Amino acid sequence: MKSNQVLENRTVSPAFVEKERKRRRMKESLTGYAMISPWLIGFFGLVIGPMIYSFILSFTDYDMLSAPKWAGFSNYIELFTNDPRFLKALKATFTFVAIAVPLKLAFSLFLALLFNTGRKGSGLFTTIYYVPSIIGGSVAISVVWRQLFGRDGAANTILDSMGLGTISFFGNADAAMSILILLIVWQFGAPMIIFLAGLRQIPQDLYEAASVDGAGTIRKFIKVTIPMLTPIIFFNLVMEMIAGFMTFTQAFLVTGGGPRDSTCFMRCTCMKLLSSF
Amino acid sequence: MNKKTRLSDAIYYIFVIAFSFLMLYPILWMFGSSLKPETEVFSNAAALIPIEWDWLNYPEGWEGFGGTGFDVFFRNSLFVTGMVVIGSLMSCSIVAYGFARINFKFKKLLFVCLISTVLLPIQIILVPQYLLFQQLNWVNTFYPLIVPHFLGGTPFFIFLLIQFIRGIPKELDEAAIIDGCSRFGVFWRIVLPLLKPALVTVAIFAFMWSWDDFLTPLIYLNSVEIQTVSLGLRNFMDAEAGTSWGPLLAMSSLSLLPQFILFLFFQRYLVDGISTTGLK
């Protein structure tokens, strides 16, 4: 803008100004591309390229040694009709996500509401509750889980001392699924902090107005908190579902996908297939 | 009324404190059990404090297995994580500046591409990426773990930085350009210094995620001497097959130490980071 005014003051021809403006826009565009080039290379080279390549390969017969042969939809038909492992993985993954995600969100919302009451020390407690979210995906925690729920582990010791007998957590499909769900729900700290930030954004006068109109605590929750929090609930739901579908380390290390592939989620199956080459 | 609030306060604190104990139990148990002698791991399984303290679990675990000690794994992890942090900071900040401040053709379309990759599940590109890195002869090297991060490998970070740059007044850029500063100069001298808090957040998350990562090392690192801590720990678990839980738990505790230290010093940034952008 400013440079154009300078040019006009010197009374140069409008055609020259137009040309100059175009040249500058061009230069600006090139600078922009230069700056985003790292991402651009990564996006086309490491994401889009390989994605298209694998999509094309999915219609072929390919053993990584000889050249791929066109096979139409046969791989997909095989996958859905003649591969019990795939269907089992699909079912296990969906069961896992359908239970773990709502549970995790309910927990995080409940505790966020509790910490939003403005009592002292809530900062310290949110920090404590957030710790598992940071380290929950690590191999170390999987090691701990394996030992805690082992045959002679802490969980069985406690159950036994309460006179409830012991459970073979890794031998029983439901029990194995439950300890994986527990491991995921345990990491509710991150969505809790997001909820807490969302709750603090809700204007206080809405609650005051509702009180004046005679609404109780539950009614205020349903009529004010939930509608105001909907975008954040939705955000957390999407994020947790994506993370849930991608669960790998825990299933791979804690239960090893067992017993009998009952906790072998899609990614785990993917990995097992890959390593069988 | 007063009595009622005091009662509800009491219930609140009892619940919250008891629940924190439950939340921290597995972690405390890990540290406690890493000091238990072998027999006690089972006979005294649920206890947090060992009856007899066995510090030898640590040097014994540090020896590792098959002649490779944990010093090697830690060195590898530190190298990989360090490079990932540097790569993320460099590539994501400059890409974010490009998206936030410069007008170029197809910007809107490319921005949509960027946002959609934030939500892209990794398994879609797992196998094809492996084939690509295999062609490049990068399997069994650190490159597949590091190079993607120099190419803006975590779109989430780019997104976070774009949001932050949009909050910096544009007048600063314009003033610098009038004074004869180039676009890159504006980025380097004006925006980057102001971006520091967001960069700290990015660095911490990059560190946490890279340190934790298990899948990528599992796929790409075959030789023992280039494996990272997470992979070494898993192989240690398999090698010992439940015979030496003490050293295994000792190494597990050590593997989490860098993350704990970082959390202790920078928890403000972590909490702010997730509450403003929904990072995890």
Side-chain angles (χ1 to χ4, degrees):
Chain A
M1 274 306 271
K2 296 240 164 73
S3 49
N4 285 337
Q5 279 164 9
V6 174
L7 286 173
E8 271 152 18
N9 286 345
R10 274 199 230 138
T11 58
V12 276
S13 69
F16 179 78
V17 173
E18 188 54 38
K19 215 173 137 193
E20 177 72 11
R21 201 179 274 157
K22 229 178 197 164
R23 197 185 66 84
R24 270 168 203 244
R25 212 178 290 149
M26 186 73 187
K27 200 180 154 216
E28 178 93 343
S29 230
L30 279 176
T31 320
Y33 274 109
M35 284 191 149
I36 67 160
S37 61
W39 173 77
L40 221 50
I41 295 167
F43 179 69
F44 284 107
L46 299 177
V47 180
I48 286 292
M51 249 168 86
I52 294 169
Y53 183 59
S54 77
F55 186 69
I56 294 169
L57 276 188
S58 75
F59 293 102
T60 63
D61 266 335
Y62 183 40
D63 57 7
M64 290 168 101
L65 297 171
S66 50
K69 274 195 295 279
W70 188 255
F73 281 97
S74 69
N75 285 331
Y76 287 93
I77 295 167
E78 166 118 13
L79 200 59
F80 279 101
T81 57
N82 200 19
D83 191 346
R85 243 181 142 177
F86 171 74
L87 292 177
K88 210 166 181 181
L90 213 58
K91 192 177 153 240
T93 312
F94 275 93
T95 317
F96 172 74
V97 171
I99 300 173
V101 170
L103 218 56
K104 191 177 184 179
L105 289 185
F107 247 100
S108 50
L109 182 57
F110 172 71
L111 281 152
L113 287 169
L114 212 57
F115 287 136
N116 200 34
T117 49
R119 288 185 175 89
K120 264 185 197 156
S122 66
L124 174 71
F125 290 117
T126 41
T127 307
I128 290 175
Y129 290 3
Y130 179 50
V131 171
S133 295
I134 297 171
I135 55 166
S138 63
V139 176
I141 290 301
S142 295
V143 170
V144 170
W145 234 248
R146 244 168 94 142
Q147 173 59 14
L148 277 180
F149 294 98
R151 203 160 42 85
D152 299 316
N156 270 334
T157 311
I158 293 167
L159 283 176
D160 205 29
S161 69
M162 295 195 310
L164 293 167
T166 61
I167 299 173
S168 166
F169 285 102
F170 299 119
N172 177 318
D174 289 339
M177 182 68 96
S178 311
I179 58 173
L180 285 180
I181 290 171
L182 184 69
L183 177 51
I184 296 301
V185 175
W186 181 55
Q187 300 164 40
F188 67 79
M192 180 190 73
I193 288 177
I194 299 171
F195 274 137
L196 204 51
L199 285 172
R200 292 194 175 134
Q201 298 280 316
I202 301 175
Q204 216 49 47
D205 26 331
L206 288 180
Y207 290 105
E208 280 159 25
S211 291
V212 171
D213 288 346
T217 316
I218 294 167
R219 215 186 158 111
K220 270 192 258 177
F221 176 71
I222 295 169
K223 296 276 177 187
V224 180
T225 311
I226 293 281
M228 292 300 286
L229 214 55
T230 304
I232 289 164
I233 295 174
F234 186 69
F235 175 82
N236 269 336
L237 184 70
V238 171
M239 293 316 289
E240 294 304 326
M241 266 168 62
I242 291 171
F245 279 117
M246 290 202 289
T247 305
F248 165 71
T249 310
Q250 293 95 338
F252 190 71
L253 291 176
V254 178
T255 62
R260 280 171 272 90
D261 288 347
S262 59
T263 57
C264 205
F265 304 141
M266 261 145 36
R267 207 160 170 205
C268 192
T269 312
C270 210
M271 197 54 220
K272 280 189 170 176
L273 281 176
L274 197 65
S275 57
S276 68
F277 273 115
Chain B
M1 190 61 198
N2 202 0
K3 213 172 181 179
K4 206 175 153 195
T5 48
R6 215 181 297 156
L7 183 72
S8 76
D9 270 7
I11 294 170
Y12 167 84
Y13 281 111
I14 289 168
F15 172 76
V16 165
I17 290 169
F19 202 71
S20 345
F21 175 74
L22 216 63
M23 289 292 287
L24 292 183
Y25 178 81
I27 301 164
L28 297 174
W29 180 89
M30 176 183 68
F31 285 116
S33 298
S34 72
L35 294 169
K36 287 176 187 170
E38 205 50 55
T39 50
E40 227 185 286
V41 174
F42 293 105
S43 64
N44 194 18
L48 292 180
I49 300 163
I51 301 167
E52 197 186 323
W53 294 58
D54 186 1
W55 290 97
L56 285 178
N57 281 336
Y58 280 84
E60 201 182 305
W62 191 253
E63 292 293 314
F65 57 95
T68 313
F70 269 83
D71 51 330
V72 175
F73 300 141
F74 270 90
R75 213 180 306 130
N76 292 339
S77 267
L78 278 176
F79 174 72
V80 170
T81 306
M83 292 306 278
V84 167
V85 170
I86 293 169
S88 301
L89 287 178
M90 280 177 20
S91 66
C92 294
S93 57
I94 194 156
V95 171
Y97 179 78
F99 269 115
R101 285 291 157 85
I102 300 178
N103 285 316
F104 49 85
K105 268 193 172 166
F106 306 117
K107 180 171 152 178
K108 282 213 172 97
L109 179 71
L110 287 170
F111 188 70
V112 170
C113 289
L114 177 79
I115 297 304
S116 59
T117 47
V118 171
L119 302 172
L120 187 78
I122 311 162
Q123 57 256 59
I124 294 176
I125 50 169
L126 194 68
V127 176
Q129 231 178 43
Y130 182 84
L131 294 175
L132 176 73
F133 288 138
Q134 201 184 33
Q135 292 282 307
L136 293 169
N137 250 335
W138 280 3
V139 174
N140 215 12
T141 66
F142 288 140
Y143 292 121
L145 280 69
I146 295 169
V147 171
H149 294 277
F150 278 88
L151 300 175
T154 315
F156 230 143
F157 295 154
I158 301 176
F159 183 61
L160 177 115
L161 292 172
I162 289 175
Q163 295 298 84
F164 199 91
I165 294 174
R166 280 179 181 159
I168 300 172
K170 222 174 184 165
E171 286 74 21
L172 289 176
D173 291 38
E174 283 163 2
I177 286 178
I178 290 166
D179 287 349
C181 202
S182 68
R183 272 294 186 183
F184 186 78
V186 174
F187 165 72
W188 188 252
R189 285 158 200 257
I190 314 246
V191 175
L192 211 54
L194 290 170
L195 212 54
K196 243 181 232 156
L199 289 176
V200 174
T201 307
V202 168
I204 294 166
F205 275 109
F207 184 96
M208 293 282 187
W209 290 344
S210 167
W211 189 267
D212 245 2
D213 191 18
F214 174 64
L215 183 65
T216 331
L218 179 68
I219 295 172
Y220 292 110
L221 305 179
N222 305 318
S223 310
V224 184
E225 67 278 0
I226 60 161
Q227 289 181 349
T228 57
V229 172
S230 57
L231 196 53
L233 201 59
R234 183 261 179 149
N235 292 338
F236 190 44
M237 177 163 79
D238 286 354
E240 305 293 315
T243 52
S244 52
W245 282 99
L248 179 58
L249 289 167
M251 287 307 105
S252 301
S253 309
L254 270 191
S255 80
L256 293 182
L257 211 59
Q259 287 175 297
F260 274 124
I261 293 171
L262 220 59
F263 179 65
L264 224 59
F265 285 105
F266 295 101
Q267 46 146 311
R268 197 62 272 145
Y269 287 98
L270 274 164
V271 171
D272 285 354
I274 52 166
S275 51
T276 49
T277 62
L279 275 169
K280 221 172 74 108

